[in-house]
Amino acid sequence: MLTQAELDTLLAGYEAMAAAAQANDWSQLASVEAELARLRNAVMARTAQADATAAALPAEQQQALAAGIARILELDAEIRTHTDPFLASARKFLSGRSRERAVRNAYTSLAP
């Protein structure tokens, strides 16, 4: 089960990733994402083994967790608005370079 402290850490990390994405600071974004991935994986592993369910939480705690998760999803969408164009550009660049290399290799082999 996700604790409030873990949720706060995730929220802070997603805020930092959103700021890094807005600033086009891809190395910072990747660094923060790697740190958060470890936390997410630990929470997911612990949750998979836990017998308790979210229904055991008081209603106000459930609402706080739901609000935090909703905010994380909003931040994730914001991050994607910045990263998706960058990734598309990188894919296009890499695709063009591999096509260029393939053409060069094909015509180089025909040279006398």
Side-chain angles (χ1 to χ4, degrees), residues 67-91:
I69 291 169
R71 179 65 182 142
I72 286 173
L73 293 174
E74 290 170 6
L75 289 166
D76 184 65
E78 181 182 338
I79 291 165
R80 288 178 190 280
T81 64
H82 298 286
T83 58
D84 285 350
F86 174 77
L87 292 173
S89 175
R91 278 188 208 99

Side-chain angles (χ1 to χ4, degrees), residues 20-98:
Q22 288 172 350
N24 294 327
D25 187 349
W26 308 121
S27 60
Q28 174 66 15
L29 187 137
S31 173
V32 173
E33 198 283 328
E35 292 172 19
L36 292 182
R38 286 190 290 276
L39 175 59
R40 278 192 312 263
N41 292 341
V43 169
M44 288 172 35
R46 189 180 68 236
T47 301
Q49 296 173 354
D51 293 334
T53 63
L57 293 175
E60 62 188 37
Q61 199 172 4
Q62 286 181 19
Q63 290 173 348
L65 287 175
I69 291 169
R71 179 65 182 142
I72 286 173
L73 293 174
E74 290 170 6
L75 289 166
D76 184 65
E78 181 182 338
I79 291 165
R80 288 178 190 280
T81 64
H82 298 286
T83 58
D84 285 350
F86 174 77
L87 292 173
S89 175
R91 278 188 208 99
K92 183 177 179 182
F93 174 76
L94 293 172
S95 173
R97 296 291 294 173
S98 77

